[in-house]
């Protein structure tokens, strides 16, 4: 099992989200890829949300009837592909038929339990949770008995559907599966199982959709230097948050931006507190890709001293490394967040303008 690094970052990340613990054959949290917009351009349509309806003969033979009903019911309810849910259930515990520790009782060596292999901490702190109680996790009541039971297939499958939905399904299934179990070989295996379960032989999600979206977003950048910044930043999606991290394996909010600018040959301050006064302030509505958006969030922050930052990648969307509990680096919306303080443009800082001139001269 591959447990995520929390340590000191956990203390910094208590401000939002749910527990991200990276465990092979155990669910994870959060990642999404929206349909991007650029200044004055229409959205880039890289989504295929069609639902697979028919079950292949091999799928019908392999999936227990009660499980198939639950995959379809909760997949439709939450809005994710039933065959993806079924493929996860197959890969994790053979639809609950496995006799390995943690499937029907207790936990395995990593603390995962149930037919969909939730970490108990990710489920909500204990295996069975009254749904009237307050908890921080994916515990769900799929059969209406008032209890979220990690061993109950109805509850576990509903919880898995919610998790995949929050992580980007149905549009970005591969990214959602990568967060569910942080290994691309796992993603490939689940997708292959899902194809066999669908009569059409497809999961209805083009594997290259995300890359195509990235290409369109980078091409729409207002300048070559911004394109380089975006290209680096977007490539970091899916990597874990780590307080103080500047890569290459993990980052914090300001660290990924610092590294993206550095990849384009530019030097800006390392921390959020340094980045806020560094850039030229930009009025809301005039922000563009490459700008920074700041939030009054985190310990010791205030409206005049914001502690969280994201990189604008298109109108209304930013790339952010939010916190340990919030999941890996992802593209999210910055619109509607009450804690938003404002925007800055580091590329208009006099020092950066000098750096750009030197870069231009060096290319002659």
């Amino acid at each position: 099992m591959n447990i995520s690094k929390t340590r000191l970052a956990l203390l910094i990340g208590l401000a939002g989200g749910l527990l991200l613990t990276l465990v092979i054959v155990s669910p994870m949290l959060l990642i999404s890829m929206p349909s991007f917009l650029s200044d004055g351009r229409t959205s880039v349509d890289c989504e295929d949300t069609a639902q697979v309806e028919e079950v292949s003969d091999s799928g019908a033979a392999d999936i227990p009837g009660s499980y198939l009903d639950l995959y379809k019911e909760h997949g439709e309810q939450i809005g994710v592909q039933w065959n993806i849910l079924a493929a996860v259930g197959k890969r994790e515990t053979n639809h609950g038929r496995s006799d390995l520790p943690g499937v029907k009782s207790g936990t395995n060596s990593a603390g995962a339990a149930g037919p969909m292999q939730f970490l108990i901490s990710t489920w909500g702190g204990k295996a069975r949770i009254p749904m009237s109680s307050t908890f921080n996790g994916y515990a769900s009541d799929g059969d209406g008995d008032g209890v979220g039971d990690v061993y109950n297939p109805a509850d576990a499958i509903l919880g898995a559907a919610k998790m995949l939905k929050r992580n980007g399904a149905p549009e970005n299934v591969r990214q959602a599966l990568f967060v569910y179990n942080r290994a691309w070989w796992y993603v490939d295996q689940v997708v292959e199982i899902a194809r066999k379960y669908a009569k059409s032989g497809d999961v209805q999600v083009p594997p290259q959709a995300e890359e195509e979206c990235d290409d369109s977003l980078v091409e729409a950048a207002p300048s070559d230097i911004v394109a380089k910044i975006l290209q680096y930043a977007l490539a970091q999606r899916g990597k874990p948050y780590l307080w103080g991290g500047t890569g290459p394996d993990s980052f914090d909010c300001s660290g990924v931006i610092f590294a993206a600018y550095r990849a384009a040959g530019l030097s800006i301050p390392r921390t959020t507190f340094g980045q806020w006064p560094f850039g030229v302030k930009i009025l809301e509505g005039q922000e563009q890709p490459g700008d920074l958006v700041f939030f009054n969030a985190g310990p010791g922050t205030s409206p005049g001293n914001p502690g969280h930052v994201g990189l604008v990648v298109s109108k209304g969307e930013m790339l952010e490394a939010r916190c340990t509990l919030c999941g890996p680096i992802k593209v999210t919306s910055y619109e509607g967040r009450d804690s938003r303080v404002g925007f800055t443009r580091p590329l208009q800082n006099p020092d950066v303008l000098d750096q750009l001139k030197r870069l231009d001269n060096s290319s002659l």
Side-chain angles (χ1 to χ4, degrees):
M1 298 293 176
N2 179 20
I3 308 297
S4 71
K5 301 175 182 177
T6 57
R7 293 203 266 285
L8 179 60
L10 181 60
L11 299 177
I12 304 301
L14 293 176
L18 301 171
L19 181 63
L20 174 66
T21 309
L22 304 179
V23 179
I24 293 182
V25 299
S26 297
M28 318 304 149
L29 301 182
L30 293 179
I31 207 172
S32 63
M33 266 293 303
S35 196
F36 294 115
L37 295 174
S38 60
D39 289 348
R41 300 198 182 194
T42 57
S43 63
V44 179
D45 184 7
C46 295
E47 302 179 354
D48 183 349
T49 61
Q51 294 289 320
V52 177
E53 295 296 337
E54 296 188 65
V55 186
S56 67
D57 292 342
S58 61
D62 186 52
I63 307 170
S66 59
Y67 272 72
L68 179 59
D69 290 343
L70 291 171
Y71 293 136
K72 285 197 165 188
E73 176 187 349
H74 294 318
E76 181 178 1
Q77 175 187 347
I78 301 302
V80 302
Q81 298 92 328
W82 72 263
N83 59 323
I84 290 292
L85 276 173
V88 171
K90 173 67 174 181
R91 178 60 184 78
E92 297 292 354
T93 67
N94 193 20
H95 310 298
R97 291 180 291 217
S98 172
D99 291 325
L100 291 173
V103 176
K104 300 178 177 67
S105 64
T107 64
N108 63 16
S109 59
M116 304 303 280
Q117 288 291 275
F118 276 88
L119 288 177
I120 294 299
S121 55
T122 305
W123 185 251
K126 54 185 178 180
R128 296 177 177 85
I129 299 177
M131 300 309 293
S132 58
S133 63
T134 300
F135 62 93
N136 185 22
Y138 275 101
S140 301
D141 181 11
D143 60 0
D145 65 356
V147 176
D149 184 346
V150 75
Y151 305 107
N152 183 334
D155 297 351
I157 292 170
L158 177 58
K162 291 178 180 178
M163 181 175 294
L164 289 170
K165 178 70 172 180
R166 184 170 183 179
N167 290 345
E171 299 88 356
N172 298 289
V173 163
R174 290 183 64 84
Q175 283 290 350
L177 290 171
F178 181 75
V179 181
Y180 195 98
N181 180 352
R182 200 175 178 75
W184 286 115
W185 58 260
Y186 175 91
V187 174
D188 292 339
Q189 288 180 6
V190 171
V191 169
E192 183 59 28
I193 295 169
R195 288 197 176 102
K196 292 178 179 178
Y197 280 168
K199 195 167 187 177
S200 63
D202 197 0
V203 296
Q204 301 299 319
V205 177
Q208 300 304 316
E210 178 184 308
E211 289 81 359
E212 292 169 2
C213 281
D214 284 0
D215 290 345
S216 299
L217 186 61
V218 171
E219 290 171 4
S223 68
D224 290 342
I225 201 73
V226 172
K228 292 178 181 179
I229 293 168
L230 297 185
Q231 189 171 35
Y232 180 92
L234 291 168
Q236 310 316 306
R237 279 176 315 189
K239 293 184 178 180
Y241 175 96
L242 176 65
W243 184 76
T246 54
D249 298 324
S250 56
F251 300 84
D252 64 12
C253 64
S254 56
V256 68
I257 294 170
F258 170 79
Y261 270 75
R262 182 177 58 190
L266 300 174
S267 177
I268 65 171
R270 160 65 185 88
T271 68
T272 305
F273 299 118
Q275 290 172 1
W276 169 243
F278 182 79
V280 174
K281 300 298 186 293
I282 300 297
L283 294 176
E284 181 177 351
Q286 295 181 7
E287 72 274 9
Q288 63 184 26
D291 291 345
L292 308 186
V293 53
F294 292 83
F295 302 85
N296 178 22
T301 69
S302 65
N305 193 36
H308 180 58
V309 62
L311 174 70
V312 176
V313 297
S314 67
K315 285 293 187 182
E317 306 293 342
M318 65 177 175
L319 180 129
E320 69 170 335
R322 190 169 184 179
C323 69
T324 302
L325 300 181
C326 307
I329 297 168
K330 55 191 174 293
V331 173
T332 61
S333 174
Y334 57 74
E335 294 183 340
R337 286 202 191 177
D338 294 336
S339 60
R340 193 173 75 219
V341 172
F343 302 87
T344 71
R345 185 165 297 160
L347 292 175
Q348 288 186 355
N349 177 277
D351 183 52
V352 173
L353 291 174
D354 287 341
Q355 294 177 49
L356 289 170
K357 288 179 182 179
R358 289 195 293 273
L359 288 174
D360 288 340
N361 291 335
S362 66
S363 64
L364 295 178

